[in-house]
């Protein structure tokens, strides 16, 4: 390592707090736009005269935008300086949400939600890689978790606030608010993030080599399937609160805030678990998600239990998200940007699939609590894939230098 490199690393770490705060602000904007839609589905359905499951397609199309945008942007922009790329992604986020706020009909709203999702995964994936350059290597799990704090604070503060405002003023105000936050993030990143060049041998070919590794695919599929369990329930949290638990619509922002509090605590403690054992955290968190969903399905009619299980669901889901992020970065150390960004593609496939499968269960007449049982099935399937990945890794270990 040259003296220049050491000096650069020291400078980055000195200004790391402000830089990670700027990146976390972007996570706040993304988390708000992603999850606020779920709390405003009834209002959106009323505006356009459609059913709640049909309005839920806005969630699925946003998720599709993430799935498409994350690997596409990360691959094509592999040679670009990281700071400029992150600024561009936040501006794109502002554009997609501005279009969502002014959409005059369902078709244009769905298109705008797809556009808003495009920068999501690339932003988080690249921000996570950049964050690990701001701390010592042994604290990479903590660094990734700190970036995700913005997402958790969105669920604690941003989503409840814009949901309440959307119920009182109109759902469009939520997307206007995110537009402003995204533009503020662009300014903060420009001010505080140090220059981070692209890796010397970066290129789409180098990044795509990550997908030759079986463990990258195992990690992605684990997220695609296993994380769908949480989204199967959370996508319909508004009608679950009013139709099953029996609370008024004014309680929905409070339920969302409790979920966000759980996520915030999960981000705070999750990084430490990941620093200790990445795969141990994956197994532990996904098992906990399964248990919490079972309890939710059996006790959702009780307001006290509903609030408690929603809190726990947010906590263990966020621990799982941090673990999967670091697992992908570890599985592809020489091409981390595309692998890291693809994690968010995987999680948003889970988002779209969870919302879709939950909607199918509701549409079949099985009731809103059936979404929790859908979630249990998805979580168990994710655990099976994670277990298979460990089995394959152990069988390959004697032939693979470490």
């Amino acid at each position: 390592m040259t003296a220049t490199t050491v000096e650069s690393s020291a400078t980055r770490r000195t200004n790391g707090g402000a830089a990670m705060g700027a990146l976390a602000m972007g996570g706040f904007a993304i988390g708000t736009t992603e999850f606020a839609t779920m709390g405003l589905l009834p209002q959106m359905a009323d505006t356009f005269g459609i059913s709640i499951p049909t309005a839920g397609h806005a969630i699925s199309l946003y998720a599709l935008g993430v799935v498409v945008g994350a690997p596409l942007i990360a691959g094509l922009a592999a040679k670009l300086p990281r700071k400029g790329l992150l600024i561009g992604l936040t501006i794109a986020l502002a554009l997609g949400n501005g279009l969502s706020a002014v959409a005059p009909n369902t078709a244009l709203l769905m298109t705008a939600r797809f556009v808003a999702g495009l920068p999501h995964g690339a932003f988080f994936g690249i921000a996570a890689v950049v964050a690990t350059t701001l701390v010592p290597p042994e604290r990479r799990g903590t660094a990734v978790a700190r970036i995700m704090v913005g997402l958790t604070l969105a669920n604690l503060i941003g989503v409840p606030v814009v949901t309440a405002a959307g119920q009182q003023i109109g759902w469009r105000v939520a997307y206007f608010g995110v537009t402003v936050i995204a533009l503020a993030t662009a300014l903060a990143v420009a001010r505080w993030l140090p220059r981070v060049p692209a890796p010397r041998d970066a290129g789409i070919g180098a990044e795509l080599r990550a997908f030759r590794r079986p463990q990258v695919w195992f990690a992605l599929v684990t997220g695609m399937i296993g994380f769908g369990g949480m989204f199967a329930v959370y996508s319909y949290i508004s009608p679950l609160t009013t139709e099953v638990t029996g609370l008024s619509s004014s309680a929905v922002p409070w339920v969302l805030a409790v979920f966000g509090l759980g996520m915030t605590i999960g981000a705070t403690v999750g990084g430490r678990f990941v620093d200790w054992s990445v795969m141990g955290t994956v197994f532990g968190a996904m098992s906990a998600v399964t248990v919490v969903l079972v309890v939710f399905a059996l006790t959702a009619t009780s307001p006290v239990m509903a609030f408690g299980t929603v809190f726990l669901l947010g906590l263990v889901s966020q621990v799982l998200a941090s673990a999967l992020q670091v697992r992908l970065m570890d599985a592809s150390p020489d091409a981390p940007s595309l692998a890291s960004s693809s994690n968010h593609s995987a999680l948003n496939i889970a988002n779209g699939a969870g919302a879709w499968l939950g909607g199918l269960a509701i549409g079949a007449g099985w009731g809103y609590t059936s979404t929790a049982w859908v979630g249990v099935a998805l979580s168990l399937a994710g655990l099976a894939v994670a277990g298979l990945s460990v089995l394959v890794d152990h069988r390959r270990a004697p032939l693979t230098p470490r």
Side-chain angles (χ1 to χ4, degrees), residues 6 43 69 75 80 100 140 159 178 185 229 256 258 267 269 279 281 326 338 342 356 362 398 402:
V6 172
Q43 289 73 31
L80 295 180
S100 300
R140 68 195 192 287
V159 174
V178 172
T185 299
L256 297 174
V258 167
V269 303
M279 286 306 295
T281 304
V326 175
L338 183 55
S342 295
W356 178 64
I362 296 167
R402 297 243 177 208

Side-chain angles (χ1 to χ4, degrees), residues 20 24-25 27-28 124 142-156 260 263-268 318 322:
M20 283 197 275
M25 186 187 299
F28 183 88
F124 270 126
T142 299
V144 170
R146 286 183 67 180
I147 298 303
M148 300 301 286
V149 164
L151 178 64
T152 67
L153 288 176
N155 284 274
L156 177 62
M263 288 186 75
T264 302
I265 295 175
T268 301
Q318 188 54 44
S322 296

Side-chain angles (χ1 to χ4, degrees), residues 61-275:
L61 282 166
Y62 180 92
L64 180 61
V66 182
V67 171
V68 172
L72 184 65
I73 294 171
L76 294 178
K79 292 182 178 294
L80 295 180
R82 308 290 89 177
K83 180 174 180 175
L85 178 56
L86 288 167
I87 292 171
L89 290 170
T90 57
I91 292 173
L93 178 67
L95 175 62
N97 281 278
L99 292 173
S100 300
V102 300
N105 55 52
T106 306
L108 289 177
L109 173 67
M110 299 300 174
T111 301
R113 296 315 296 153
F114 173 79
V115 172
L118 289 173
H120 174 133
F123 179 88
F124 270 126
I126 293 166
V129 174
V130 169
T132 61
T133 71
L134 304 174
V135 298
E138 66 274 11
R139 298 192 64 225
R140 68 195 192 287
T142 299
V144 170
R146 286 183 67 180
I147 298 303
M148 300 301 286
V149 164
L151 178 64
T152 67
L153 288 176
N155 284 274
L156 177 62
I157 301 171
V159 174
V161 168
V162 300
T163 299
Q167 290 175 345
Q168 299 300 317
I169 303 172
W171 57 267
R172 297 178 190 276
V173 72
Y175 299 127
F176 277 123
V178 172
T179 301
V180 173
I181 298 169
L183 292 174
T185 299
L187 295 175
V189 170
R191 173 65 180 86
W192 295 110
L193 192 70
R195 290 182 68 255
V196 182
R200 183 175 303 173
D201 57 350
I204 189 167
E207 293 286 343
L208 286 174
R209 281 197 290 272
F211 293 104
R212 297 179 183 176
R213 297 181 174 90
Q215 289 303 326
V216 169
W217 284 106
F218 275 122
L220 289 172
V221 174
T222 298
M224 287 179 196
I225 299 173
F227 222 80
M230 183 275 284
F231 283 114
V233 170
Y234 192 75
S235 296
Y236 298 96
I237 197 67
S238 182
L240 275 164
T241 300
T242 56
E243 302 296 328
V244 177
T245 309
L247 300 174
S248 67
S249 60
S250 62
V252 174
W254 292 105
V255 174
L256 297 174
V258 167
F259 181 84
L261 178 61
M263 288 186 75
T264 302
I265 295 175
T268 301
V269 303
R272 295 170 184 166
F273 284 120
V274 175
D275 287 340

